[in-house]
Amino acid sequence: MADETITSYKGFDQDLKCRGFQYAVGETFEHEGETRACHRGFHACEHPLNVFGYYAPAGNRFAVVEQFGTLSRHDEDTKVASSKITIKAEIGIPGLVKAAVEYVTKRCHPVDPASPQLATGDYGAASSTGYQGAASSTGYQGAASSTGNRGAASSTGNRGAASSTGYQGAASSTGYQGAASSTGYRGAASSTGDYGAASSTGDQGAASSTGYQGAASSTGYQGAASSTGYRGAASSTGYQGAASSTGDYGAASSTGNQGAASSTGYRGAASSTGDYGAASSTGDYGAASSTGDQGAASSTGYQGAASSTGDYGAASSTGYQGAASSTGYQGAASSTGVAGAAMASGSGGRAKGANGNALFLVYRDDDGAITKAGAAIVGVDGIRPDVWYALDASGAFVEYEAENDE
């Protein structure tokens, strides 16, 4: 137990609740009685990516918080229970990745200025292979490599490269055409320069690339990848991973279970193929695709498309002339924008839309064969807006009822 103040990160459900308790951004909450990690008090994690162990990136919300009063720490990760907590600000996947990189980097030992592990000249190279070592190269076309546990590698010069392969290592390259790679457990890689690339393949790793045409890839367990630059790409293939690309022409792909992919830039694309995954594309001409069971795909941009092929999945398109398609069992498709379309082709599927949108539905027999198909325009022939419809055995549109799920 200790009385101190720390900055940490907390997960919530879509309603900003945690274990039934309602939180609000900007407010402070106080717990009375015992404070004990995993039992009593307000819980959050100091390592940003540890929150994914409690709240998967798909379908949940996250915030940076301030914990103070009486604190109690968990033995297995960085989870902390506190008697008081302030919800400072909501933070997305890109913010969590950036915070994770900073968290790991701050805990690495600096390089001794007199050490040969530091190279400051053009074309210089720095290498550190010892435990908790650090390598830094700040010159033009320099390279930095740290292979020891908890090591850090940093290259800030143009065309530099930084690589950290040890446990809890961090790699950062901020120069033009730089590259950063961290393959160790809980490692972090960050590349902020133009044409830069960041790759983190270790468990709970994070990769962030914010420069023009940058790419970020995280393949480890609970990893996260974020690319915010123009034409950037982010890919996270690990379990509970998250990928976010907010730049124009960007793409985000998350193939692990409970993964999430989000692309908010112009012509961006988001794809999540894991179970319970979610894909969201909010830019014009964007596309979102989720193929895992119970996945969700959402496209809110102009002429965007959303596709969900898993059972019980949902696809939603809210932009102008957008399209939503759900092909899995009891899937749902919704098109609420102007002149859009929603199609549900799975058994027990349903669709809804705003006035002027088109709905396409099928009816399948017990063997899965299509026996009827139907099309309708919302607002015409009694089809009401924002009402779920299914197709019955006669091929008629009928209002969908919850008991149809049983």
Side-chain angles (χ1 to χ4, degrees), residues 14-30:
Q14 281 291 333
D15 297 324
L16 213 68
K17 292 182 179 179
C18 176
R19 300 181 67 86
F21 187 90
Q22 183 67 66
Y23 291 86
V25 175
E27 294 190 13
T28 299
F29 304 90
E30 184 172 357

Side-chain angles (χ1 to χ4, degrees), residues 253-259 261 271-279 289-293 309:
S253 172
S254 176
T255 58
N257 290 337
Q258 296 182 330
S271 172
S272 176
T273 58
D275 294 348
Y276 310 101
S289 172
S290 176
T291 57
D293 289 353
T309 58

Side-chain angles (χ1 to χ4, degrees), residues 38-57:
C38 300
H39 292 86
R40 302 290 302 275
F42 301 109
H43 290 80
C45 297
E46 292 183 279
H47 192 312
L49 298 188
N50 281 165
V51 299
F52 291 160
Y54 306 95
Y55 280 88

Side-chain angles (χ1 to χ4, degrees), residues 44-390:
C45 297
E46 292 183 279
H47 192 312
L49 298 188
N50 281 165
V51 299
F52 291 160
Y54 306 95
Y55 280 88
N60 292 308
R61 299 165 67 180
F62 305 92
V64 56
V65 303
E66 186 176 83
Q67 292 180 277
F68 56 105
T70 302
L71 270 58
S72 172
R73 284 179 163 79
H74 187 33
D75 292 335
E76 297 181 4
D77 60 14
T78 64
K79 182 166 67 172
V80 178
S82 62
S83 59
K84 299 178 183 179
I85 190 170
T86 298
I87 313 302
K88 302 293 290 185
E90 190 165 355
I91 187 171
I93 299 301
L96 283 173
V97 173
K98 181 177 182 293
V101 173
E102 293 174 350
Y103 176 88
V104 176
T105 304
K106 285 170 60 177
R107 283 155 179 78
C108 297
H109 286 195
V111 181
D112 185 341
S115 170
Q117 295 167 7
L118 177 68
T120 58
D122 292 351
Y123 307 97
S127 173
S128 175
T129 58
Y131 175 74
Q132 291 185 334
S136 174
S137 176
T138 58
Y140 174 74
Q141 291 184 333
S145 172
S146 176
T147 58
N149 291 341
R150 297 181 183 172
S154 173
S155 176
T156 58
N158 292 338
R159 296 179 185 172
S163 172
S164 176
T165 58
Y167 171 76
Q168 292 184 335
S172 173
S173 176
T174 58
Y176 173 75
Q177 289 184 333
S181 172
S182 177
T183 57
Y185 176 71
R186 292 183 182 170
S190 173
S191 176
T192 58
D194 294 350
Y195 307 99
S199 172
S200 177
T201 58
D203 293 351
Q204 296 181 333
S208 173
S209 176
T210 58
Y212 172 74
Q213 291 184 333
S217 173
S218 176
T219 58
Y221 172 74
Q222 294 184 337
S226 172
S227 176
T228 58
Y230 177 72
R231 291 182 182 171
S235 172
S236 177
T237 58
Y239 175 73
Q240 293 185 334
S244 173
S245 176
T246 58
D248 294 350
Y249 306 98
S253 172
S254 176
T255 58
N257 290 337
Q258 296 182 330
S262 173
S263 177
T264 58
Y266 175 72
R267 291 184 184 174
S271 172
S272 176
T273 58
D275 294 348
Y276 310 101
S280 173
S281 177
T282 58
D284 292 351
Y285 306 97
S289 172
S290 176
T291 57
D293 289 353
Q294 296 181 334
S298 173
S299 177
T300 59
Y302 173 74
Q303 290 185 337
S307 172
S308 176
T309 58
D311 292 347
Y312 308 101
S316 172
S317 177
T318 60
Y320 177 69
Q321 292 184 346
S325 171
S326 179
T327 59
Y329 174 72
Q330 290 190 346
S334 171
S335 178
T336 58
V338 177
M343 181 191 75
S345 59
S347 180
R350 60 192 185 275
K352 73 174 181 178
N355 275 328
N357 284 261
L359 306 183
F360 301 92
L361 291 166
V362 302
Y363 181 85
R364 296 177 182 270
D365 62 20
D366 292 340
D367 296 326
I370 296 177
T371 60
K372 296 291 181 180
I377 298 176
V378 180
V380 178
D381 296 331
I383 302 298
R384 299 190 297 158
D386 300 321
V387 174
W388 288 110
Y389 283 91

